[in-house]
Amino acid sequence: MKITGAKVIVCCPSRNFVTLKIETEAGIHGLGDATLNGRELAVVAFLEEYCIPALLGRDARQIEDVWHYFYRGVYWRRGAVSMAALSAIDLALWDIKGKALDTPVYNLLGGRSRDAVLVYAHATGDSLASAVESAARCAEAGYRAIRIQAAVPGLTDTYGVAKGKVPYEPAKRGLAVEERWDTARYLSFLPTLFAEARQQLGPDVHLLHDVHHRCTPIEAARLAKQLEPYHLWWLEDPVAGELQEGLRLIRQHSTTPIAIGEVFNTIYDYTTLITEQLIDFVRMPPAHGGGITHLMKVAALAGVYHVRTGFHGATDISPVGMAASLHVDVTINNFGIQEHMPHQEIVSEVFDVGYQFERGVMVLDERPGLGVEIDEEQAAKFPYRAAALPVNRLTDGTLWHW
Ligand code: GCO
Ligand code: MG
């Protein structure tokens, strides 16, 4: 089944999405998510200049070979931009294969291992009390797992905290805004937030928190240890991901489960962390980590070491990328949880999806392929708008991890 065409669709219904559409001689097309927050057009250029010309004429059925053509076959391999492009190609080919065989992608990966996919919500507040209230509202809406982020007293901006009534979206129009950060204030505040949350929400709800790469290893070790009494489901990205050795220090001091890797893009970012059992959850999603083909391999390695998955599912993963995650989630044995940060209502004017939220879980229907379609005419009504993720500085001006 020859690939006869491919194009990139960029749209901005509330936020930017980059979608790759691959067409075949059989008249079947597939969609892939190529969205990389704040770097969208770099992926578009990479796909249009280098990948699409090399895709034309290839057999869309040969997913494994195409994957290796764009990974092993490339001298300048890895990296967020090229792996986002490769992920999109891979997702589109799985979508085509599912449609060609008239079955959902999960049936091609091994079939369902569970009826539905446990998801976690985002609770956020500009104070300790409002963050706990926000978490209580998530619990009322049926979520059984809730991530809590609250404004750190004394700081003007805190990662993950919405301002006003608009839903939290970290990328802002134009050039990157600069935020200020104080780890000492954060470390003394956070245990008080989770003490209160656990007390008010009770023992059954799963609580999560995202450190967003802000701590040094010894700071992260202290935090993980102090949070132990509130038995978190996970503490996410406690240190900057590229310092894999840093995770050893955290492990030596605490039993709080650790999730890492939403910014990773290959299995090689994970091998030390998985084989030394330094983490508990893999965050890298199919949309950024080489597609379904690569994530199935990462998940298999993780499973050997009793590490589970908890894929990144922020709004900058498009509905196509979210569907890809859900097909893997519903299939693999070592699934843990899936992040669910709902897209704004207007996104459904462009994307039609075959998954839906029901009381704490995500349910996938029986549509063939990934089960997502894009309305190109609608997409054209929402042109690209440049937006950038913030830059972070310590209170004295030192540049820090955002
Ligand atoms: C999360 C993430 C996101 C990122 C965002 C950056 O855990 O959901 O940390 O909120 O900040 O995806 O583009
Ligand atoms: Mg995160």
Side-chain angles (χ1 to χ4, degrees):
M1 191 197 297
K2 271 197 172 47
I3 296 174
T4 49
K7 65 175 167 183
V8 186
I9 304 157
V10 182
C11 61
C12 187
S14 75
R15 65 158 355 281
N16 292 315
F17 295 115
V18 179
T19 307
L20 174 68
K21 181 174 185 180
I22 296 182
E23 281 154 345
T24 62
E25 62 184 351
I28 298 171
H29 69 265
L31 298 180
D33 178 13
T35 311
L36 189 61
N37 206 3
R39 292 286 181 272
E40 292 87 356
L41 300 186
V43 187
V44 175
F46 186 68
L47 279 167
E48 289 182 345
E49 292 294 320
Y50 305 104
C51 302
I52 290 177
L55 266 175
L56 300 178
R58 274 174 210 288
D59 189 334
R61 293 171 302 186
Q62 295 174 350
I63 300 179
E64 185 76 11
D65 184 67
V66 172
W67 195 93
H68 282 279
Y69 183 86
F70 287 101
Y71 183 83
R72 197 176 293 258
V74 173
Y75 190 60
W76 309 110
R77 62 179 68 159
R78 304 173 69 183
V81 172
S82 41
M83 291 306 288
L86 171 51
S87 304
I89 294 169
D90 186 76
L91 263 46
L93 296 183
W94 279 103
D95 193 24
I96 289 170
K97 195 181 284 292
K99 287 168 176 166
L101 298 172
D102 194 26
T103 192
V105 167
Y106 57 73
N107 279 336
L108 306 173
L109 304 177
R112 283 178 184 270
S113 290
R114 54 192 59 78
D115 302 328
V117 168
L118 176 69
V119 294
Y120 71 89
H122 280 209
T124 158
D126 56 10
S127 66
L128 187 155
S130 69
V132 177
E133 272 166 36
S134 162
R137 283 196 299 276
C138 293
E140 279 163 28
Y143 284 100
R144 308 202 295 259
I146 304 166
R147 169 188 119 149
I148 309 179
Q149 307 292 135
V152 176
L155 294 185
T156 46
D157 302 280
T158 307
Y159 159 75
V161 177
K163 284 212 161 150
K165 289 211 179 335
V166 281
Y168 178 70
E169 193 63 72
K172 304 276 184 321
R173 301 275 165 247
L175 291 176
V177 297
E178 295 200 359
E179 297 181 346
R180 294 280 164 149
W181 178 251
D182 185 333
T183 309
R185 283 178 190 271
Y186 170 72
L187 289 179
S188 52
F189 170 67
L190 209 69
T192 65
L193 171 66
F194 278 91
E196 186 63 20
R198 184 51 83 200
Q199 215 222 322
Q200 288 203 27
L201 299 166
D204 294 335
V205 62
H206 302 304
L207 300 179
L208 300 83
H209 178 73
D210 190 350
V211 183
H212 222 263
H213 326 270
R214 303 291 163 91
C215 288
T216 63
I218 196 69
E219 290 165 349
R222 170 184 148 194
L223 180 64
K225 191 169 169 179
Q226 284 189 317
L227 292 173
E228 273 176 16
Y230 318 116
H231 45 98
L232 265 59
W233 172 281
W234 79 34
L235 189 65
E236 177 186 339
D237 288 335
V239 291
E242 63 263 39
L243 183 65
Q244 307 215 350
E245 297 80 353
L247 276 295
R248 290 196 187 115
L249 198 62
I250 303 171
R251 244 344 183 219
Q252 284 159 11
H253 292 280
S254 160
T255 56
T256 295
I258 302 295
I260 204 161
E262 66 183 40
V263 299
F264 291 177
N265 43 66
T266 72
I267 198 166
Y268 299 107
D269 299 317
Y270 271 117
T271 42
T272 304
L273 299 177
I274 291 174
T275 59
E276 289 191 25
Q277 291 170 281
L278 301 179
I279 59 167
D280 302 279
F281 295 93
V282 163
R283 290 278 292 149
M284 181 174 82
H288 290 153
I292 290 170
T293 298
H294 199 51
L295 250 301
M296 289 299 284
K297 293 170 184 173
V298 176
L301 178 69
V304 173
Y305 292 89
H306 296 205
V307 172
R308 292 186 287 164
T309 62
F311 296 146
H312 187 206
T315 44
D316 45 293
I317 304 289
S318 90
V320 178
M322 184 66 178
S325 289
L326 292 169
H327 281 270
V328 176
D329 293 338
V330 86
T331 303
I332 57 174
N333 176 264
N334 58 321
F335 163 75
I337 201 164
Q338 170 66 52
E339 181 175 15
H340 179 225
M341 191 182 176
H343 291 119
Q344 290 193 31
E345 203 48 49
I346 199 166
V347 175
S348 61
E349 291 181 20
V350 176
F351 293 95
D352 176 39
V353 305
Y355 57 80
Q356 68 179 55
F357 176 74
E358 281 176 19
R359 302 292 301 170
V361 294
M362 206 64 97
V363 182
L364 270 171
D365 68 17
E366 305 271 311
R367 296 180 197 195
L370 292 175
V372 178
E373 286 307 330
I374 186 167
D375 181 331
E376 293 182 52
E377 274 176 33
Q378 284 294 327
K381 292 183 187 161
F382 301 99
Y384 169 78
R385 285 185 288 171
L389 291 171
V391 167
N392 208 17
R393 290 184 188 275
L394 299 180
T395 46
D396 72 353
T398 307
L399 205 76
W400 200 241
H401 314 278
W402 177 74

